[in-house]
Amino acid sequence: MGQLREAARFGAWTVSGVVGLAVLCVIGVFAFGGAGWITAPFRGEADKRENTVASGEFRQTTYETFFDLCAAVQNAEGTIQALQEERKTASQARATQIDQSVTALKATRIESVNDYNAKAAQEHRAPFRDQDLPYRLDVGAERTTCAH
């Protein structure tokens, strides 16, 4: 019976030692950077947000990007209209060139409209779009208005 009691006491000390060592390891991890490792995803998101969205440079660049994209759409529309006017009196060879140019400009316009709409839909950029700019541009519209 004495050996059994001695073995139980030895087992209890062993379990206590393992638990104590585990507790010390956990404390050590938190004391020497483990807490930083565990909270890194949260802090990383906050740092990323602070470095981009809260940055004045990001806000200014985003604000200007919307105007630039809208202006690109308007420029393509203006050039298309000028080429279509020229086509009315153009020779056959020039009319073919104009048709090709108009096709390319329409594709460029669609890309600019899609780029504008994609950026306007991004949650972190939307607040920096000027209130006079449309929320979305219409691919099918003949004329785009960039300010009211």
Side-chain angles (χ1 to χ4, degrees):
M1 198 63 148
Q3 281 185 331
L4 188 57
R5 196 175 292 183
E6 191 66 31
R9 194 176 320 172
F10 178 74
W13 279 105
T14 303
V15 169
S16 297
V18 170
V19 169
L21 187 59
V23 168
L24 283 176
C25 286
V26 169
I27 290 171
V29 165
F30 277 100
F32 296 107
W37 179 76
I38 290 171
T39 62
F42 308 111
R43 288 182 296 111
E45 286 297 318
D47 288 346
K48 186 171 82 174
R49 186 173 46 255
E50 288 300 314
N51 290 334
T52 57
V53 176
S55 124
E57 183 180 338
F58 174 82
R59 289 187 301 225
Q60 184 67 32
T61 302
T62 301
Y63 180 81
E64 291 171 357
T65 297
F66 284 113
F67 277 105
D68 292 345
L69 288 170
C70 199
V73 172
Q74 287 182 316
N75 289 339
E77 291 169 353
T79 306
I80 289 168
Q81 184 179 8
L83 286 171
Q84 288 172 336
E85 287 295 317
E86 180 187 347
R87 191 180 190 294
K88 293 175 184 175
T89 59
S91 67
Q92 182 61 37
R94 179 66 184 139
T96 302
Q97 291 174 339
I98 290 172
D99 290 342
Q100 292 170 349
S101 295
V102 167
T103 300
L105 284 165
K106 285 180 179 180
T108 299
R109 180 189 174 281
I110 289 170
E111 287 175 17
S112 295
V113 167
N114 289 339
D115 197 16
Y116 180 97
N117 291 342
K119 283 183 173 36
Q122 292 174 346
E123 191 174 312
H124 70 286
R125 291 182 190 265
F128 307 114
R129 182 180 39 81
D130 187 85
Q131 66 181 6
D132 289 337
L133 291 174
Y135 175 71
R136 293 183 56 80
L137 299 180
D138 184 7
V139 173
E142 290 212 18
R143 286 274 162 230
T144 301
T145 304
C146 290
H148 299 240

